[in-house]
Amino acid sequence: MKKKILCVLLITLLLVLGNYRGSRDRVGRDLQINLRAGTVLEDKDTHGGFHGDGDRWMVVKFEKDISKQLEENDDWREMPLTENLEVAVHSFALFPDGVEAFEGYYYFRDYHSQSTDPTDDSELFARYSYNFVLAIYDSQTRTLYYSETDT
């Protein structure tokens, strides 16, 4: 009996750890950065509801500054955020207060089915639902904030 309980606990632990590593790797691939070089401080995912709608929030702290890597990547843009993205940050409470003052880079992707350019946020509020990713890297604290919104 003890062996069966131990086996169930071990399998559960492996599944949980496998999912944790998988989500970090998926987010890293999407953002085109190696998140394994950092420490995950928070990782919350509410997807799984109706049609998989939900939100993901991840915070990763890096020992070394990755600004140079982001600067060389065309998908990352230097702060400040656009006006639409600032509205999104405050409307959806995506990041801590004061995100506008961060020095660093941001990444945006609009995955909505009606999006004509996934890197353009100008039509973000012209639809009835949202499906986008916004990540902000604060070079002062070497912290990455990742938010995925799907309604």
Side-chain angles (χ1 to χ4, degrees), residues 67-142:
S67 293
K68 180 117 174 108
Q69 178 185 356
L70 302 180
E71 182 181 335
E72 295 171 354
N73 186 324
D74 291 337
D75 290 330
W76 284 83
R77 299 185 178 140
E78 194 167 355
M79 295 289 283
L81 296 171
T82 65
E83 186 176 327
N84 271 350
L85 294 180
E86 279 193 32
V87 170
V89 164
H90 295 292
S91 298
F92 295 105
L94 300 178
F95 301 109
D97 289 339
V99 70
E100 308 84 22
F102 285 177
E103 291 181 22
Y105 298 87
Y106 73 92
Y107 172 97
F108 172 78
R109 278 293 177 277
D110 186 355
Y111 291 112
H112 196 281
S113 61
Q114 295 175 355
S115 172
T116 55
D117 178 0
T119 62
D120 180 20
D121 64 48
S122 64
E123 296 179 355
L124 188 61
F125 298 109
R127 302 179 289 253
Y128 295 107
S129 63
Y130 305 97
N131 188 357
F132 67 92
V133 165
L134 179 61
I136 297 176
Y137 175 72
D138 180 11
S139 57
Q140 293 175 322
T141 62
R142 299 180 318 277

